Amino acid sequence: MSVGELEDAVRYHNYLYFKKNAPIISDYEFDRLTRRLAEVKPDSPVLLEIPAEGEERPKVKHTERMLSLEKAYSREEVEKWASKFDGPLLVSPKIDGLAVELRYDDSGNLALAATRGDGVQGELITDNIKMVQDVPKHLPVGGLELRGEVYMRLSVFNKRYKDQFANPRNLAAGALKQKDPRKTRDYKLSFFAYGPIGGP
């Protein structure tokens, strides 16, 4: 497969996954395509494309780059990666949702929220994120930035959406980008904070 054909394939399956919510290949197969493209053309713009739901939203530049996690599909891959380190490793679960950045003003009020986007800048979702019950609208300290994951619990997905949508991650991403933020509340999303940037 040529580089151009590889880019077309990644773009096509990206479109089916995010826009149509109708993937025709597995996550594993899609990851193989993107890995191959990253190997043969690491600067391909297709690797940075993240389809948005609905209208284009204002962009927000992150204070620090938001990175994404690499995947491994075998014990051998993990062992090879772990062999680079000396001493014990700390392991924590990964919640499969949508990475977000939350910024709180000097008074501790939630002032801004954005998606990860391409890691350098994301989409503004402040009004939508305020509809997620787990997200604190006020903190006892100000000037803080939180990063975390917005996700849909499997219990909610299985009860309400399993027969209509491919997976809870896609559904959570779409719910956060509703044009009417009040509709976001109906999806009963959850939030898990995993780290502050700056501040106490």
Side-chain angles (χ1 to χ4, degrees):
M1 188 181 289
S2 70
V3 173
E5 290 172 330
L6 199 51
E7 287 181 319
D8 288 344
V10 170
R11 184 174 278 126
Y12 174 67
H13 291 295
N14 226 3
Y15 170 78
L16 290 178
Y17 187 89
F18 285 99
K19 289 281 193 174
K20 293 296 185 181
N21 197 32
I24 59 174
I25 62 174
S26 68
D27 287 351
Y28 173 71
E29 291 171 309
F30 181 72
D31 287 341
R32 288 184 65 191
L33 285 175
T34 55
R35 278 187 178 188
R36 180 61 183 151
L37 180 56
E39 287 172 4
V40 298
K41 191 177 179 183
D43 60 344
S44 172
V46 176
L47 294 170
L48 298 178
E49 290 176 5
I50 299 179
E53 298 289 331
E55 297 176 351
E56 185 76 11
R57 290 170 171 264
K59 295 287 196 272
V60 176
K61 187 170 183 181
H62 301 306
T63 53
E64 291 184 21
R65 188 177 180 92
M66 287 186 74
L67 304 177
S68 61
L69 300 177
E70 293 292 337
K71 296 181 181 179
Y73 288 100
S74 68
R75 182 185 181 94
E76 291 74 25
E77 282 185 88
V78 176
E79 289 176 344
K80 182 179 178 182
W81 171 81
S83 68
K84 301 174 185 176
F85 303 95
D86 289 325
L89 297 176
L90 176 66
V91 179
S92 63
K94 162 77 166 67
I95 292 179
D96 192 22
L98 189 73
V100 296
E101 166 186 272
L102 308 178
R103 296 183 196 170
Y104 292 83
D105 63 22
D106 291 339
S107 298
N109 297 313
L110 178 59
L112 182 146
T115 64
R116 188 184 79 83
D118 63 7
V120 176
Q121 61 179 9
E123 292 181 283
L124 187 68
I125 54 165
T126 310
D127 291 337
N128 299 80
I129 206 76
K130 288 179 178 178
M131 299 295 126
V132 179
Q133 189 173 352
D134 287 350
V135 172
K137 313 309 181 282
H138 179 81
L139 295 176
V141 293
L144 185 67
E145 179 180 321
L146 285 181
R147 292 191 173 172
E149 206 88 359
V150 173
Y151 65 101
M152 178 177 284
R153 294 178 183 273
L154 285 175
S155 57
V156 174
F157 179 76
N158 289 334
K159 183 177 180 180
R160 302 177 62 178
Y161 303 107
K162 188 176 183 180
D163 297 332
Q164 307 168 54
F165 296 93
N167 59 64
R169 187 188 183 281
N170 280 15
L171 191 53
L176 269 185
K177 297 177 183 180
Q178 290 289 318
K179 292 179 185 177
D180 181 355
R182 292 171 297 183
K183 291 183 179 178
T184 300
R185 182 188 288 114
D186 297 337
Y187 290 87
K188 300 188 181 303
L189 300 176
S190 298
F191 173 72
F192 177 80
Y194 52 71
I197 303 291

